[in-house]
Amino acid sequence: MKQAKIRVGLVQHHYSHDAEYNRNRNYTAIETLAAMGADLVVLSELHDTTYFCQAENVDNFDIAHGVDEDNEVIGLYRRYAKINNIVLVTSFFERRAAGMYHNTAVVIDRDGSIAGRYRKMHIPDDPAYYEKFYFTPGDLGFEPIETSIGRLGVCVCWDQWYPEAARIMALRGADILIYPTAIGWESTDALSEKERQLDAWITVQRGHAVANGLPVVAVNRVGYESDPSGVTNGITFWGSSFVAGPQGEFLHKSSCDTEDTPLVEVDMGRVEQVRRWWPFLRDRRIDEYGPILKRFLD
Amino acid sequence: MKQAKIRVGLVQHHYSHDAEYNRNRNYTAIETLAAMGADLVVLSELHDTTYFCQAENVDNFDIAHGVDEDNEVIGLYRRYAKINNIVLVTSFFERRAAGMYHNTAVVIDRDGSIAGRYRKMHIPDDPAYYEKFYFTPGDLGFEPIETSIGRLGVCVCWDQWYPEAARIMALRGADILIYPTAIGWESTDALSEKERQLDAWITVQRGHAVANGLPVVAVNRVGYESDPSGVTNGITFWGSSFVAGPQGEFLHKSSCDTEDTPLVEVDMGRVEQVRRWWPFLRDRRIDEYGPILKRFLD
């Protein structure tokens, strides 16, 4: 922990097919949040584009780009961070080599330098979320990223369902867990099913907060995007970006259907107290966790 | 899965210092739930006594007994199960040898036979919960117990905070996660803190349901028990026993301050459907989970 309190800005936007338009709106949100006092701004997953994984289309690889510091898009976001003196969590479709692409979070520090990268480790593949087609599974492990405001345990979307990812980030000294994400509803599901899905998504991440005694920040996009292939009915991204404290308690929750750019203060000193009361890390049975490394044991 | 639907009876009782009285009341609850159609009845942690771990007192070891099939108390509960034709999850202070005691769940099948035992693996030690004094950490691992109605992933109380325990049970083919527990409030905590604690306890277990696509049953005692040593203000056990489905959705939740013996139907076929939609087990990065076996990595 480097700061007693961190003011986190969340950017819950609807995204269009126009990358420049999306970036300009991201910038406006960053600038506004910084003016309000943000130390950290978190954008949602793949925030420069629509969620192109709704269909498998080789032309979509044209959208990808490098994530080195000299890349043009990265340079843009580096300037966004530096001008506004904030730590910035971004998310890109990374082109690493011909035929090798990743879903990569890039964390930029207040001075515009790249603090670190995280390549999405768990890759989903469900109807309308054809990510295994686009993204090679990450090879950087679950490594929190050291920044001037603390050690950020950044994972991406599907990772959020895996307690292992959160736990390893905690064991490596993360001060906070952060999940840029893009998740929503299929229109034909019943309202009760939609409610269960949204609640499950929130609950499992709040569970990571509790199990690890760490605050959690989840930032999702919002609004409808059609399926360009016409195979599905498209996705209505459910927003509901939230911040939870280290007991899983809500510090903020955005609506499921409107854009929102809230600023939320997180008391980082609370972790110390909560972990004294509930010292879960003290009592872990590491001698008996070997089966975690297996696919299945039946 | 051996039955498409399981009717689970929960016994949320207040317990006295009189073991025989407690057992008789447990029996009445079991009989009532069986008459309502229960397949499975789950008692709370250490259901024959008050929660004696509030103070460190060597005389309390007198309460412990063996958990073999010929033990008198075990025989009693075996008859309870057989007479009522139910699977029964019980919880005892096990005497294994001189100076070696465990906190042990014993699962009894419909025919009165012992289906299996689970010795609490994670042992807490907090003011008013001096369990490390009483209980040797379990050495039976996280092994679900095969019964006539399915494979029961039984853990005990403090285990419920550990995603590793739930995950290993799931990987070993558990059909349902079950947590007998004894947890409550300290009277001097603020209401807001009490609410956070209760909600955290529920949330982390619902999180296990979501992450593993399994139903969860948690059964707690209820009501106030004083601290015989007079050191603390005693514990008000918060009840709130609940059943969640494999998306973490509530199927039942008891009140925090009254006894309750609800019967809850769990659709075991739902697991198959939920895991098709959200195939988390498919995408686990077992190649990168090694750090889980470490104490800390900072």
Side-chain angles (χ1 to χ4, degrees):
Chain A
M1 187 182 71
K2 294 184 178 169
Q3 278 188 215
K5 293 180 191 293
I6 291 180
R7 284 154 296 182
V8 186
L10 285 63
V11 181
Q12 175 174 305
H13 271 181
H14 175 66
Y15 289 112
S16 78
H17 290 279
D18 182 340
E20 192 180 337
Y21 176 78
N22 294 333
R23 288 174 191 139
N24 285 337
R25 293 193 71 237
N26 287 338
Y27 182 74
T28 302
I30 292 165
E31 192 177 39
T32 304
L33 287 162
M36 291 163 69
D39 300 298
L40 169 67
V41 175
V42 181
L43 301 176
S44 69
E45 187 184 16
L46 301 170
H47 47 70
D48 279 5
T49 60
T50 52
Y51 181 71
F52 54 83
C53 312
Q54 285 203 63
E56 298 195 0
N57 179 346
V58 289
D59 292 340
N60 282 338
F61 290 106
D62 290 340
I63 303 168
H65 56 77
V67 293
D68 295 330
E69 57 184 6
D70 57 356
N71 174 269
E72 189 182 352
V73 175
I74 301 299
L76 195 68
Y77 281 95
R78 289 177 60 203
R79 287 195 292 282
Y80 288 0
K82 186 173 181 179
I83 291 168
N84 291 290
N85 190 35
I86 49 118
V87 176
L88 182 61
V89 176
T90 61
S91 165
F92 301 103
F93 185 18
E94 177 191 0
R95 182 187 185 283
R96 188 175 182 184
M100 183 172 294
Y101 301 81
H102 294 285
N103 185 325
T104 304
V106 179
V107 178
I108 305 167
D109 215 328
R110 289 184 187 272
D111 62 0
S113 65
I114 293 179
R117 297 173 190 80
Y118 171 84
R119 291 187 176 124
K120 187 171 183 171
M121 295 285 283
H122 300 97
I123 309 294
D125 196 289
D126 299 304
Y129 299 84
Y130 299 106
E131 297 200 14
K132 287 193 192 295
F133 174 75
Y134 290 106
F135 308 129
T136 304
D139 60 346
L140 298 176
F142 304 99
E143 283 281 359
I145 294 170
E146 195 76 61
T147 73
S148 58
I149 57 167
R151 201 174 287 187
L152 311 186
V154 178
C155 289
V156 177
C157 202
W158 195 239
D159 294 318
Q160 71 213 348
W161 302 98
Y162 293 84
E164 293 92 342
R167 179 67 97 201
I168 296 172
M169 288 294 190
L171 294 178
R172 288 196 164 125
D175 295 310
I176 187 168
L177 300 172
I178 298 174
Y179 297 94
T181 189
I183 188 168
W185 290 303
E186 207 277 318
S187 63
T188 59
D189 276 332
L191 178 61
S192 59
E193 177 57 34
K194 289 178 178 175
E195 286 173 346
R196 275 195 299 273
Q197 292 183 2
L198 171 56
D199 198 29
W201 175 77
I202 291 172
T203 300
V204 77
Q205 292 177 86
R206 290 176 64 214
H208 302 331
V210 175
N212 296 290
L214 284 178
V216 168
V217 178
V219 182
N220 190 21
R221 63 177 62 201
V222 71
Y224 178 73
E225 296 181 21
S226 63
D227 174 0
S229 71
V231 171
T232 73
N233 296 310
I235 302 173
T236 301
F237 293 93
W238 64 44
S240 306
S241 302
F242 69 93
V243 181
Q247 289 168 299
E249 74 278 19
F250 281 114
L251 302 179
H252 170 82
K253 182 162 169 267
S254 293
S255 86
C256 67
D257 55 7
T258 55
E259 293 195 332
D260 196 14
T261 52
L263 184 71
V264 185
E265 185 171 271
V266 180
D267 178 357
M268 302 301 285
R270 180 88 184 150
V271 169
E272 180 70 26
Q273 202 57 45
V274 167
R275 286 194 182 172
R276 288 184 190 192
W277 293 331
W278 287 341
F280 305 140
L281 296 183
R282 181 192 63 190
D283 299 328
R284 295 178 68 240
R285 290 296 303 271
I286 56 175
D287 55 324
E288 290 285 351
Y289 293 162
I292 293 275
L293 307 187
K294 299 294 184 184
R295 186 63 70 201
F296 204 65
L297 291 143
D298 200 12
Chain B
M1 186 183 68
K2 293 184 178 168
Q3 278 189 217
K5 293 180 191 294
I6 291 180
R7 284 154 297 180
V8 185
L10 285 63
V11 181
Q12 175 174 304
H13 271 181
H14 175 65
Y15 288 111
S16 79
H17 290 279
D18 182 341
E20 192 179 337
Y21 175 78
N22 294 333
R23 288 174 191 139
N24 286 337
R25 294 192 71 237
N26 287 337
Y27 182 72
T28 303
I30 292 165
E31 192 176 39
T32 304
L33 286 162
M36 292 163 68
D39 300 298
L40 169 67
V41 175
V42 181
L43 301 176
S44 69
E45 187 183 16
L46 301 169
H47 47 69
D48 280 5
T49 61
T50 53
Y51 180 72
F52 54 84
C53 312
Q54 285 204 60
E56 298 194 1
N57 181 346
V58 289
D59 292 340
N60 283 337
F61 289 106
D62 290 340
I63 303 168
H65 56 78
V67 292
D68 294 330
E69 58 185 5
D70 57 356
N71 174 268
E72 190 182 351
V73 176
I74 300 299
L76 196 68
Y77 282 96
R78 288 176 62 202
R79 287 195 293 281
Y80 290 181
K82 185 174 182 178
I83 292 168
N84 291 291
N85 190 33
I86 50 120
V87 176
L88 182 62
V89 176
T90 61
S91 164
F92 302 102
F93 186 17
E94 176 189 1
R95 184 187 183 283
R96 189 175 182 185
M100 184 173 293
Y101 301 80
H102 294 284
N103 184 325
T104 304
V106 179
V107 178
I108 304 167
D109 216 327
R110 290 184 189 271
D111 62 359
S113 65
I114 293 179
R117 296 171 190 81
Y118 170 84
R119 291 189 176 121
K120 187 171 182 171
M121 294 285 283
H122 299 97
I123 309 295
D125 195 289
D126 299 305
Y129 298 84
Y130 300 106
E131 296 200 16
K132 287 193 193 294
F133 174 74
Y134 290 105
F135 308 128
T136 304
D139 59 345
L140 298 177
F142 304 98
E143 284 281 359
I145 294 170
E146 196 76 59
T147 73
S148 59
I149 56 167
R151 199 173 288 187
L152 311 187
V154 178
C155 288
V156 177
C157 202
W158 194 240
D159 295 318
Q160 72 214 347
W161 302 98
Y162 293 83
E164 293 92 343
R167 179 67 97 201
I168 295 172
M169 289 294 190
L171 293 178
R172 288 197 164 126
D175 294 310
I176 187 167
L177 299 171
I178 298 174
Y179 297 94
T181 187
I183 188 168
W185 290 303
E186 207 278 318
S187 63
T188 59
D189 276 333
L191 179 61
S192 58
E193 177 57 34
K194 290 178 178 174
E195 288 173 345
R196 276 195 298 274
Q197 291 182 4
L198 172 55
D199 199 29
W201 175 77
I202 291 172
T203 299
V204 77
Q205 293 177 88
R206 290 177 63 212
H208 302 330
V210 175
N212 297 290
L214 284 178
V216 168
V217 177
V219 182
N220 191 20
R221 63 176 63 202
V222 71
Y224 177 73
E225 296 182 21
S226 64
D227 175 0
S229 71
V231 171
T232 73
N233 296 310
I235 303 173
T236 301
F237 293 93
W238 64 43
S240 305
S241 303
F242 69 92
V243 181
Q247 290 169 300
E249 75 278 18
F250 281 114
L251 302 180
H252 170 81
K253 181 162 170 268
S254 293
S255 87
C256 66
D257 55 7
T258 55
E259 293 196 330
D260 195 14
T261 52
L263 184 71
V264 185
E265 184 171 272
V266 180
D267 177 358
M268 303 300 286
R270 180 89 184 149
V271 169
E272 179 71 26
Q273 201 57 46
V274 167
R275 285 193 181 173
R276 288 183 189 192
W277 293 332
W278 286 341
F280 304 140
L281 296 183
R282 180 191 64 191
D283 299 329
R284 294 178 70 240
R285 291 296 303 272
I286 55 175
D287 55 324
E288 289 285 350
Y289 293 160
I292 294 275
L293 306 187
K294 299 294 183 184
R295 186 63 69 201
F296 204 67
L297 291 144
D298 198 12

